[in-house]
Amino acid sequence: MITLPLTPEHRTVYWTVAVHETYGSVHQSTGLHSASAVRQQYDFWLAKPSTARMELTKHTLIQARTITTFEDLPGEGEATPLPDLPAGAYEVKRFFKFTSALEDGSLTGFGPTVLRNGDDVRRFYNWTVTTQDRAQAVHVDVSTLRILDITLTHLTREIQLADLPDDFTASLLGKLETEGLCWVPVHEHAGTYLRVPLAGGSEITISGATADGRKASSQHTADDHAGWLAVWGGFNDTVVEVYRSARRGLTRAADTAALAAAVLECAREHGGGPALKDAPKQLHSGELAQDA
């Protein structure tokens, strides 16, 4: 199994459909991760005479990760303080988990997925240290362990059916996430594009393109079937074209697959997505281990 480096930020998008019926009941779908599933749900309920109205909600989960130490954890008996709720956010959570540092400096998960507070972190660490000599222990080099401070922000926005991306765009985003790449939608007067940050500070920009291959105007977005344009931006204002849709000859599915392959190849050439690196400061956990 290949272990992907942990990105500083991971973004997941899904949708829900709420159906309000004429006699007052409300049906709420589970999270739908493809636009086609949302449209199927919408068409199914639209055909029913009992449907009064429907609400479509876009959910965006943003998980931000930083490396921390025991000294920076909440104290004994203290709850984990939460950051302010960002604009448009429905909920924000904060928790901790351990990771193990790999030889390349990136990190891979270890232990429980959620440690609620500093007491949970210290308790699990001490248990890990004191059970290393036992047969049933999860054996790990404790010197490689690091603590992740994780903030999970849940944003919601009510949308219309026309606001859904097509499945080709959703497929592209899914491939980026599978490869450990994070993406950020950017909305400007010239249209909407995707920014894919890479290691070392460079980035790939993916936007819609007109039929003749030029960048789309404000009337187009990355979801339009005009085509794709992807460029890599490095340092010293260097810009290199990564992918440009052909004028004809490719279906949208094939065009998007070719775009994804070109973007992933470029990302690998430039070190992949930005990964959390081992911090120079250590856990300073010797005192904990002695007290365990």
Side-chain angles (χ1 to χ4, degrees), residues 219-272:
Q219 301 303 313
H220 297 80
T221 72
D223 297 337
D224 293 326
H225 186 30
W228 297 106
L229 177 64
V231 297
W232 173 82
F235 307 99
N236 300 321
D237 297 324
T238 302
V239 176
V240 178
E241 185 175 294
V242 174
Y243 183 83
R244 183 189 296 271
S245 294
R247 293 191 179 186
R248 59 182 65 86
L250 288 180
T251 64
R252 184 74 195 277
D255 191 20
T256 305
L259 165 70
V263 168
L264 295 179
E265 181 180 358
C266 178
R268 296 187 187 105
E269 289 177 357
H270 296 282

Side-chain angles (χ1 to χ4, degrees), residues 187-228:
H187 307 281
E188 294 184 347
H189 68 280
T192 298
Y193 63 91
L194 298 176
R195 183 172 61 84
V196 182
L198 301 179
S202 64
E203 64 183 29
I204 300 174
T205 301
I206 305 171
S207 62
T210 60
D212 61 4
R214 294 176 301 172
K215 188 173 180 180
S217 69
S218 59
Q219 301 303 313
H220 297 80
T221 72
D223 297 337
D224 293 326
H225 186 30
W228 297 106

Side-chain angles (χ1 to χ4, degrees), residues 84-222:
D84 294 334
L85 197 65
Y90 169 76
E91 184 181 35
V92 62
K93 297 179 180 179
R94 184 182 172 203
F95 54 92
F96 307 93
K97 71 169 295 181
F98 278 97
T99 67
S100 180
L102 304 178
E103 291 184 359
D104 64 359
S106 60
L107 304 167
T108 183
F110 172 80
T113 304
V114 173
L115 297 168
R116 300 166 300 169
N117 48 47
D119 291 339
D120 284 354
V121 174
R122 289 181 283 268
R123 188 178 300 113
F124 176 74
Y125 179 81
N126 285 333
W127 178 85
T128 300
V129 171
T130 57
T131 59
Q132 286 301 293
D133 295 332
R134 302 176 188 175
Q136 71 273 22
V138 179
H139 296 284
V140 64
D141 181 354
V142 294
S143 69
T144 68
L145 293 182
R146 304 292 180 264
I147 306 169
L148 285 185
D149 185 341
I150 301 175
T151 300
L152 183 62
T153 305
H154 182 186
L155 298 99
T156 61
R157 180 169 66 90
E158 190 171 340
I159 64 171
Q160 303 300 315
L161 194 65
D163 296 327
L164 288 171
D166 59 63
D167 285 331
F168 303 109
T169 302
S171 173
L172 169 65
L173 300 181
K175 289 177 180 177
L176 295 179
E177 292 177 0
T178 299
E179 292 294 325
L181 298 175
C182 56
W183 51 273
V184 181
V186 180
H187 307 281
E188 294 184 347
H189 68 280
T192 298
Y193 63 91
L194 298 176
R195 183 172 61 84
V196 182
L198 301 179
S202 64
E203 64 183 29
I204 300 174
T205 301
I206 305 171
S207 62
T210 60
D212 61 4
R214 294 176 301 172
K215 188 173 180 180
S217 69
S218 59
Q219 301 303 313
H220 297 80
T221 72

